[in-house]
Amino acid sequence: SYYPLLGMAPSEAKTYMSEENFNALPKYSHDTAKAEELLKAEGWTKQNGSWYDSNGTQVRLAFGTPSTSDIASTAAEAAAAQLTDFGIAVDLLKSSNFYSNATADNCPYDLMLEWTDLNMS
């Protein structure tokens, strides 16, 4: 789903949400050309297949997911592969201690993936 955090198919959301609130939801798309355009506009560069931020630092994300959830873990692997293919380095951190890590003041994750079984796509 291109809508964030719906927990239901967009057709259901249209039925159960007000038109005003449904129309106010941000809508995302998978458009790598647009992503490259936006990153370059912020001063990022791509060298040898890897992205570097405007300070010249290679972009690397720590991506957390619970090792105890097959659905989330598998989806995280796919998302990490897509980011890596796009040129963003990913350290995929699967942990049985995911929830403690995710709520810690010094959370080791830049991104987290959980509860994807509610995403209708």
Side-chain angles (χ1 to χ4, degrees):
S1 174
Y2 290 119
Y3 296 97
L5 302 175
L6 275 179
M8 63 185 116
S11 58
E12 290 176 301
K14 283 183 181 182
T15 299
Y16 296 110
M17 294 177 71
S18 71
E19 184 177 353
E20 176 184 4
N21 286 327
F22 181 80
N23 291 336
L25 289 170
K27 187 172 182 187
Y28 301 102
S29 65
H30 183 103
D31 186 339
T32 55
K34 180 68 173 179
E36 288 194 22
E37 176 187 322
L38 292 170
L39 293 175
K40 287 177 180 177
E42 292 300 316
W44 288 30
T45 57
K46 194 170 188 180
Q47 303 167 24
N48 299 320
S50 296
W51 281 100
Y52 292 81
D53 66 19
S54 59
N55 295 320
T57 304
Q58 183 180 8
V59 179
R60 177 171 222 92
L61 298 174
F63 196 165
T65 192
S67 61
T68 55
S69 169
D70 289 342
I71 295 170
S73 185
T74 302
E77 288 174 7
Q82 290 174 342
L83 286 166
T84 300
D85 186 55
F86 181 68
I88 294 177
V90 174
D91 296 317
L92 182 56
L93 307 174
K94 295 182 184 183
S95 175
S96 60
N97 200 29
F98 170 78
Y99 299 101
S100 293
N101 290 338
T103 58
D105 288 338
N106 58 344
C107 177
Y109 311 133
D110 298 309
L111 297 169
M112 296 179 274
L113 194 145
E114 170 62 319
W115 283 102
T116 60
D117 51 335
L118 295 179
N119 185 328
M120 296 300 126
S121 67

